Amino acid sequence: RYLIVWHPHGFLAWSAMFILSRFAVLGHPHGSEWFAMVAPVLFRIPIISEALMLVNGRGVDKRVVESYLSKGKSIALQPGGMKEQMASRHDQEQAIFPANLGFIRMALKYGMDLLPVYIFNENQTFKRMEGSDAVTKWIYDKTGFGVPMLTGRFGAP
């Protein structure tokens, strides 16, 4: 029974979707399946919501988290969440922890072992477009969804 805590969130959390999701369903590294807690707004997007459910994604809501922990289910979450995503930089590794550390209190309350995970180079997958912070913040304020403006290889959007 683990509470898996991984960093960094990265611009789009590709590792979470494409690598860790396979581990969640197969029960790696501890032998039983676990559930990744993701932003609830993602479940409002058709196709993405179905894909998340197929790979054990669940909305990171206090009731949902406590429900899984009370049943002895292992979960994974990213404590930095949207703040970490919005602060991600391609030229710097960083992890952001919330001030209240509620995930640690929940782990103690339900007798879960903390399993820290750090995904190196998650921030280097994409490069944030210079000068796009205001647009990104506006989208986040209006929708609750972080959509950083990014470029990929060779500057392609």
Side-chain angles (χ1 to χ4, degrees), residues 74-99:
S74 294
I75 66 165
L77 52 81
Q78 295 176 295
M82 291 288 194
K83 286 182 182 176
E84 192 170 75
Q85 178 191 28
M86 301 305 279
S88 288
R89 295 176 41 173
H90 67 278
D91 60 349
Q92 177 182 354
E93 294 284 343
Q94 64 183 358
I96 296 173
F97 288 89

PDB file of all heavy atoms in Angstrom, residues 74-99:
ATOM      1  N   SER A  74      -3.500   1.650  -3.544  1.00  0.00           N
ATOM      2  CA  SER A  74      -2.359   2.536  -3.766  1.00  0.00           C
ATOM      3  C   SER A  74      -2.742   3.596  -4.794  1.00  0.00           C
ATOM      4  O   SER A  74      -3.451   3.309  -5.763  1.00  0.00           O
ATOM      5  CB  SER A  74      -1.161   1.745  -4.274  1.00  0.00           C
ATOM      6  OG  SER A  74      -0.694   0.864  -3.293  1.00  0.00           O
ATOM      7  N   ILE A  75      -2.274   4.809  -4.573  1.00  0.00           N
ATOM      8  CA  ILE A  75      -2.529   5.901  -5.498  1.00  0.00           C
ATOM      9  C   ILE A  75      -1.226   6.628  -5.792  1.00  0.00           C
ATOM     10  O   ILE A  75      -0.246   6.473  -5.074  1.00  0.00           O
ATOM     11  CB  ILE A  75      -3.581   6.904  -4.975  1.00  0.00           C
ATOM     12  CG1 ILE A  75      -3.058   7.635  -3.743  1.00  0.00           C
ATOM     13  CG2 ILE A  75      -4.900   6.216  -4.699  1.00  0.00           C
ATOM     14  CD1 ILE A  75      -3.865   8.864  -3.386  1.00  0.00           C
ATOM     15  N   ALA A  76      -1.245   7.426  -6.856  1.00  0.00           N
ATOM     16  CA  ALA A  76      -0.108   8.273  -7.197  1.00  0.00           C
ATOM     17  C   ALA A  76      -0.618   9.674  -7.451  1.00  0.00           C
ATOM     18  O   ALA A  76      -1.706   9.855  -8.006  1.00  0.00           O
ATOM     19  CB  ALA A  76       0.594   7.731  -8.438  1.00  0.00           C
ATOM     20  N   LEU A  77       0.146  10.654  -7.018  1.00  0.00           N
ATOM     21  CA  LEU A  77      -0.230  12.031  -7.283  1.00  0.00           C
ATOM     22  C   LEU A  77       1.005  12.897  -7.424  1.00  0.00           C
ATOM     23  O   LEU A  77       2.105  12.494  -7.062  1.00  0.00           O
ATOM     24  CB  LEU A  77      -1.177  12.577  -6.219  1.00  0.00           C
ATOM     25  CG  LEU A  77      -0.807  12.458  -4.742  1.00  0.00           C
ATOM     26  CD1 LEU A  77       0.141  13.536  -4.321  1.00  0.00           C
ATOM     27  CD2 LEU A  77      -2.070  12.525  -3.922  1.00  0.00           C
ATOM     28  N   GLN A  78       0.783  14.066  -7.983  1.00  0.00           N
ATOM     29  CA  GLN A  78       1.842  15.042  -8.160  1.00  0.00           C
ATOM     30  C   GLN A  78       1.517  16.240  -7.282  1.00  0.00           C
ATOM     31  O   GLN A  78       0.667  17.052  -7.642  1.00  0.00           O
ATOM     32  CB  GLN A  78       1.949  15.459  -9.628  1.00  0.00           C
ATOM     33  CG  GLN A  78       2.379  14.321 -10.517  1.00  0.00           C
ATOM     34  CD  GLN A  78       2.391  14.704 -11.971  1.00  0.00           C
ATOM     35  OE1 GLN A  78       1.356  14.983 -12.544  1.00  0.00           O
ATOM     36  NE2 GLN A  78       3.560  14.710 -12.570  1.00  0.00           N
ATOM     37  N   PRO A  79       2.181  16.359  -6.136  1.00  0.00           N
ATOM     38  CA  PRO A  79       1.834  17.435  -5.203  1.00  0.00           C
ATOM     39  C   PRO A  79       1.964  18.832  -5.782  1.00  0.00           C
ATOM     40  O   PRO A  79       1.231  19.725  -5.394  1.00  0.00           O
ATOM     41  CB  PRO A  79       2.826  17.252  -4.051  1.00  0.00           C
ATOM     42  CG  PRO A  79       3.311  15.872  -4.166  1.00  0.00           C
ATOM     43  CD  PRO A  79       3.227  15.504  -5.611  1.00  0.00           C
ATOM     44  N   GLY A  80       2.865  19.029  -6.733  1.00  0.00           N
ATOM     45  CA  GLY A  80       3.030  20.355  -7.326  1.00  0.00           C
ATOM     46  C   GLY A  80       1.876  20.750  -8.222  1.00  0.00           C
ATOM     47  O   GLY A  80       1.577  21.925  -8.391  1.00  0.00           O
ATOM     48  N   GLY A  81       1.213  19.761  -8.804  1.00  0.00           N
ATOM     49  CA  GLY A  81       0.033  19.972  -9.628  1.00  0.00           C
ATOM     50  C   GLY A  81       0.170  21.075 -10.663  1.00  0.00           C
ATOM     51  O   GLY A  81       1.198  21.225 -11.308  1.00  0.00           O
ATOM     52  N   MET A  82      -0.905  21.828 -10.811  1.00  0.00           N
ATOM     53  CA  MET A  82      -0.947  22.888 -11.819  1.00  0.00           C
ATOM     54  C   MET A  82       0.105  23.973 -11.570  1.00  0.00           C
ATOM     55  O   MET A  82       0.665  24.528 -12.506  1.00  0.00           O
ATOM     56  CB  MET A  82      -2.333  23.540 -11.857  1.00  0.00           C
ATOM     57  CG  MET A  82      -3.396  22.646 -12.393  1.00  0.00           C
ATOM     58  SD  MET A  82      -3.202  22.427 -14.154  1.00  0.00           S
ATOM     59  CE  MET A  82      -4.770  21.728 -14.534  1.00  0.00           C
ATOM     60  N   LYS A  83       0.370  24.277 -10.302  1.00  0.00           N
ATOM     61  CA  LYS A  83       1.390  25.298 -10.015  1.00  0.00           C
ATOM     62  C   LYS A  83       2.746  24.861 -10.556  1.00  0.00           C
ATOM     63  O   LYS A  83       3.479  25.660 -11.131  1.00  0.00           O
ATOM     64  CB  LYS A  83       1.478  25.564  -8.515  1.00  0.00           C
ATOM     65  CG  LYS A  83       0.329  26.346  -7.977  1.00  0.00           C
ATOM     66  CD  LYS A  83       0.484  26.638  -6.508  1.00  0.00           C
ATOM     67  CE  LYS A  83      -0.737  27.387  -6.017  1.00  0.00           C
ATOM     68  NZ  LYS A  83      -0.720  27.637  -4.595  1.00  0.00           N
ATOM     69  N   GLU A  84       3.060  23.587 -10.359  1.00  0.00           N
ATOM     70  CA  GLU A  84       4.328  23.077 -10.874  1.00  0.00           C
ATOM     71  C   GLU A  84       4.327  23.080 -12.403  1.00  0.00           C
ATOM     72  O   GLU A  84       5.323  23.413 -13.035  1.00  0.00           O
ATOM     73  CB  GLU A  84       4.568  21.670 -10.331  1.00  0.00           C
ATOM     74  CG  GLU A  84       5.970  21.159 -10.561  1.00  0.00           C
ATOM     75  CD  GLU A  84       6.220  19.885  -9.803  1.00  0.00           C
ATOM     76  OE1 GLU A  84       5.718  18.824 -10.241  1.00  0.00           O
ATOM     77  OE2 GLU A  84       6.911  19.938  -8.772  1.00  0.00           O
ATOM     78  N   GLN A  85       3.203  22.718 -12.988  1.00  0.00           N
ATOM     79  CA  GLN A  85       3.105  22.720 -14.448  1.00  0.00           C
ATOM     80  C   GLN A  85       3.319  24.123 -14.994  1.00  0.00           C
ATOM     81  O   GLN A  85       4.064  24.316 -15.952  1.00  0.00           O
ATOM     82  CB  GLN A  85       1.743  22.205 -14.898  1.00  0.00           C
ATOM     83  CG  GLN A  85       1.580  22.237 -16.401  1.00  0.00           C
ATOM     84  CD  GLN A  85       0.165  21.986 -16.865  1.00  0.00           C
ATOM     85  OE1 GLN A  85      -0.789  22.275 -16.153  1.00  0.00           O
ATOM     86  NE2 GLN A  85       0.021  21.457 -18.054  1.00  0.00           N
ATOM     87  N   MET A  86       2.662  25.097 -14.398  1.00  0.00           N
ATOM     88  CA  MET A  86       2.745  26.460 -14.902  1.00  0.00           C
ATOM     89  C   MET A  86       4.131  27.072 -14.685  1.00  0.00           C
ATOM     90  O   MET A  86       4.528  27.971 -15.401  1.00  0.00           O
ATOM     91  CB  MET A  86       1.679  27.338 -14.237  1.00  0.00           C
ATOM     92  CG  MET A  86       0.254  26.835 -14.457  1.00  0.00           C
ATOM     93  SD  MET A  86      -0.192  26.608 -16.173  1.00  0.00           S
ATOM     94  CE  MET A  86      -0.576  28.263 -16.621  1.00  0.00           C
ATOM     95  N   ALA A  87       4.872  26.563 -13.701  1.00  0.00           N
ATOM     96  CA  ALA A  87       6.211  27.088 -13.416  1.00  0.00           C
ATOM     97  C   ALA A  87       7.309  26.301 -14.126  1.00  0.00           C
ATOM     98  O   ALA A  87       8.482  26.654 -14.028  1.00  0.00           O
ATOM     99  CB  ALA A  87       6.455  27.075 -11.913  1.00  0.00           C
ATOM    100  N   SER A  88       6.961  25.235 -14.847  1.00  0.00           N
ATOM    101  CA  SER A  88       7.973  24.393 -15.500  1.00  0.00           C
ATOM    102  C   SER A  88       8.807  25.196 -16.478  1.00  0.00           C
ATOM    103  O   SER A  88       8.301  26.050 -17.197  1.00  0.00           O
ATOM    104  CB  SER A  88       7.306  23.234 -16.253  1.00  0.00           C
ATOM    105  OG  SER A  88       6.810  22.298 -15.361  1.00  0.00           O
ATOM    106  N   ARG A  89      10.086  24.869 -16.474  1.00  0.00           N
ATOM    107  CA  ARG A  89      11.028  25.491 -17.410  1.00  0.00           C
ATOM    108  C   ARG A  89      11.851  24.394 -18.051  1.00  0.00           C
ATOM    109  O   ARG A  89      12.252  23.448 -17.388  1.00  0.00           O
ATOM    110  CB  ARG A  89      11.946  26.459 -16.669  1.00  0.00           C
ATOM    111  CG  ARG A  89      11.221  27.647 -16.077  1.00  0.00           C
ATOM    112  CD  ARG A  89      12.132  28.516 -15.278  1.00  0.00           C
ATOM    113  NE  ARG A  89      13.434  28.677 -15.955  1.00  0.00           N
ATOM    114  CZ  ARG A  89      14.371  29.498 -15.519  1.00  0.00           C
ATOM    115  NH1 ARG A  89      14.173  30.205 -14.445  1.00  0.00           N
ATOM    116  NH2 ARG A  89      15.515  29.586 -16.150  1.00  0.00           N
ATOM    117  N   HIS A  90      12.133  24.541 -19.330  1.00  0.00           N
ATOM    118  CA  HIS A  90      12.900  23.522 -20.050  1.00  0.00           C
ATOM    119  C   HIS A  90      14.381  23.529 -19.676  1.00  0.00           C
ATOM    120  O   HIS A  90      15.078  22.562 -19.917  1.00  0.00           O
ATOM    121  CB  HIS A  90      12.752  23.719 -21.560  1.00  0.00           C
ATOM    122  CG  HIS A  90      13.391  24.982 -22.053  1.00  0.00           C
ATOM    123  ND1 HIS A  90      12.755  26.189 -21.959  1.00  0.00           N
ATOM    124  CD2 HIS A  90      14.606  25.209 -22.595  1.00  0.00           C
ATOM    125  CE1 HIS A  90      13.554  27.126 -22.447  1.00  0.00           C
ATOM    126  NE2 HIS A  90      14.681  26.561 -22.838  1.00  0.00           N
ATOM    127  N   ASP A  91      14.853  24.601 -19.080  1.00  0.00           N
ATOM    128  CA  ASP A  91      16.277  24.713 -18.778  1.00  0.00           C
ATOM    129  C   ASP A  91      16.611  24.489 -17.304  1.00  0.00           C
ATOM    130  O   ASP A  91      17.714  24.759 -16.861  1.00  0.00           O
ATOM    131  CB  ASP A  91      16.792  26.082 -19.222  1.00  0.00           C
ATOM    132  CG  ASP A  91      16.071  27.236 -18.529  1.00  0.00           C
ATOM    133  OD1 ASP A  91      15.035  26.998 -17.872  1.00  0.00           O
ATOM    134  OD2 ASP A  91      16.537  28.375 -18.661  1.00  0.00           O
ATOM    135  N   GLN A  92      15.625  23.975 -16.539  1.00  0.00           N
ATOM    136  CA  GLN A  92      15.851  23.813 -15.104  1.00  0.00           C
ATOM    137  C   GLN A  92      14.988  22.684 -14.548  1.00  0.00           C
ATOM    138  O   GLN A  92      13.799  22.625 -14.821  1.00  0.00           O
ATOM    139  CB  GLN A  92      15.496  25.136 -14.407  1.00  0.00           C
ATOM    140  CG  GLN A  92      15.613  25.102 -12.917  1.00  0.00           C
ATOM    141  CD  GLN A  92      15.188  26.437 -12.295  1.00  0.00           C
ATOM    142  OE1 GLN A  92      14.910  27.404 -12.977  1.00  0.00           O
ATOM    143  NE2 GLN A  92      15.144  26.470 -10.998  1.00  0.00           N
ATOM    144  N   GLU A  93      15.596  21.800 -13.777  1.00  0.00           N
ATOM    145  CA  GLU A  93      14.839  20.774 -13.048  1.00  0.00           C
ATOM    146  C   GLU A  93      14.337  21.415 -11.766  1.00  0.00           C
ATOM    147  O   GLU A  93      15.092  22.091 -11.075  1.00  0.00           O
ATOM    148  CB  GLU A  93      15.733  19.570 -12.705  1.00  0.00           C
ATOM    149  CG  GLU A  93      16.211  18.789 -13.908  1.00  0.00           C
ATOM    150  CD  GLU A  93      15.137  17.892 -14.499  1.00  0.00           C
ATOM    151  OE1 GLU A  93      14.134  17.608 -13.825  1.00  0.00           O
ATOM    152  OE2 GLU A  93      15.314  17.480 -15.648  1.00  0.00           O
ATOM    153  N   GLN A  94      13.072  21.220 -11.448  1.00  0.00           N
ATOM    154  CA  GLN A  94      12.537  21.769 -10.207  1.00  0.00           C
ATOM    155  C   GLN A  94      11.328  20.977  -9.752  1.00  0.00           C
ATOM    156  O   GLN A  94      10.641  20.361 -10.550  1.00  0.00           O
ATOM    157  CB  GLN A  94      12.164  23.236 -10.373  1.00  0.00           C
ATOM    158  CG  GLN A  94      11.046  23.486 -11.364  1.00  0.00           C
ATOM    159  CD  GLN A  94      10.767  24.959 -11.555  1.00  0.00           C
ATOM    160  OE1 GLN A  94      11.368  25.808 -10.940  1.00  0.00           O
ATOM    161  NE2 GLN A  94       9.826  25.268 -12.422  1.00  0.00           N
ATOM    162  N   ALA A  95      11.117  20.982  -8.458  1.00  0.00           N
ATOM    163  CA  ALA A  95       9.934  20.354  -7.865  1.00  0.00           C
ATOM    164  C   ALA A  95       9.311  21.365  -6.922  1.00  0.00           C
ATOM    165  O   ALA A  95      10.009  22.039  -6.173  1.00  0.00           O
ATOM    166  CB  ALA A  95      10.322  19.093  -7.107  1.00  0.00           C
ATOM    167  N   ILE A  96       7.990  21.475  -6.976  1.00  0.00           N
ATOM    168  CA  ILE A  96       7.268  22.424  -6.126  1.00  0.00           C
ATOM    169  C   ILE A  96       6.364  21.628  -5.201  1.00  0.00           C
ATOM    170  O   ILE A  96       5.584  20.793  -5.655  1.00  0.00           O
ATOM    171  CB  ILE A  96       6.444  23.410  -6.975  1.00  0.00           C
ATOM    172  CG1 ILE A  96       7.393  24.255  -7.834  1.00  0.00           C
ATOM    173  CG2 ILE A  96       5.553  24.274  -6.095  1.00  0.00           C
ATOM    174  CD1 ILE A  96       6.699  25.151  -8.827  1.00  0.00           C
ATOM    175  N   PHE A  97       6.480  21.878  -3.909  1.00  0.00           N
ATOM    176  CA  PHE A  97       5.639  21.212  -2.928  1.00  0.00           C
ATOM    177  C   PHE A  97       4.665  22.222  -2.341  1.00  0.00           C
ATOM    178  O   PHE A  97       5.047  23.346  -2.034  1.00  0.00           O
ATOM    179  CB  PHE A  97       6.487  20.617  -1.797  1.00  0.00           C
ATOM    180  CG  PHE A  97       7.268  19.415  -2.213  1.00  0.00           C
ATOM    181  CD1 PHE A  97       8.533  19.549  -2.751  1.00  0.00           C
ATOM    182  CD2 PHE A  97       6.723  18.151  -2.097  1.00  0.00           C
ATOM    183  CE1 PHE A  97       9.255  18.447  -3.152  1.00  0.00           C
ATOM    184  CE2 PHE A  97       7.435  17.035  -2.496  1.00  0.00           C
ATOM    185  CZ  PHE A  97       8.707  17.185  -3.022  1.00  0.00           C
ATOM    186  N   PRO A  98       3.400  21.834  -2.159  1.00  0.00           N
ATOM    187  CA  PRO A  98       2.435  22.743  -1.541  1.00  0.00           C
ATOM    188  C   PRO A  98       2.812  22.990  -0.079  1.00  0.00           C
ATOM    189  O   PRO A  98       3.430  22.141   0.571  1.00  0.00           O
ATOM    190  CB  PRO A  98       1.108  21.995  -1.653  1.00  0.00           C
ATOM    191  CG  PRO A  98       1.481  20.560  -1.785  1.00  0.00           C
ATOM    192  CD  PRO A  98       2.816  20.526  -2.465  1.00  0.00           C
ATOM    193  N   ALA A  99       2.415  24.142   0.402  1.00  0.00           N
ATOM    194  CA  ALA A  99       2.772  24.517   1.769  1.00  0.00           C
ATOM    195  C   ALA A  99       2.145  23.610   2.822  1.00  0.00           C
ATOM    196  O   ALA A  99       2.757  23.318   3.851  1.00  0.00           O
ATOM    197  CB  ALA A  99       2.367  25.965   2.026  1.00  0.00           C
TER     198      ALA A  99
END
